[in-house]
Amino acid sequence: MLNYYGRSENLSVIKEWYDGYCFGKTELYNPWSILNYRQDIISNPQSLPVPYWANTSSNKAVRDLVE
């Protein structure tokens, strides 16, 4: 995807910021954050990474299930 948009130099940033899941020997990256970061660097190549996922949900669903 980064190659397609001409932003392959941002791969190390994505690996550092958005590789939050590991299942066995398989690393999974946060798709929401990657897509948002990709959009930002397309618009402005100097964009800095941010935690896009931070405000995407609440703990209400978990709280309701526990109760």
Side-chain angles (χ1 to χ4, degrees):
M1 180 175 63
L2 293 174
N3 287 335
Y4 180 84
Y5 289 103
R7 299 289 185 258
S8 58
E9 68 276 3
N10 296 90
L11 181 59
S12 62
V13 173
I14 287 177
K15 285 184 175 185
E16 182 178 337
W17 272 77
Y18 306 120
D19 70 337
Y21 308 100
C22 186
F23 294 98
K25 295 181 180 182
T26 302
E27 289 186 67
L28 298 176
Y29 292 79
N30 182 314
W32 175 255
S33 295
I34 291 172
L35 291 174
N36 281 283
Y37 179 63
R38 182 229 36 199
Q39 189 62 38
D40 286 350
I41 62 175
I42 288 170
S43 302
N44 176 9
Q46 303 305 315
S47 292
L48 297 174
V50 297
Y52 299 97
W53 53 267
N55 295 317
T56 59
S57 67
S58 70
N59 291 328
K60 185 180 178 337
V62 173
R63 187 177 303 117
D64 290 346
L65 290 171
V66 170
E67 289 175 354

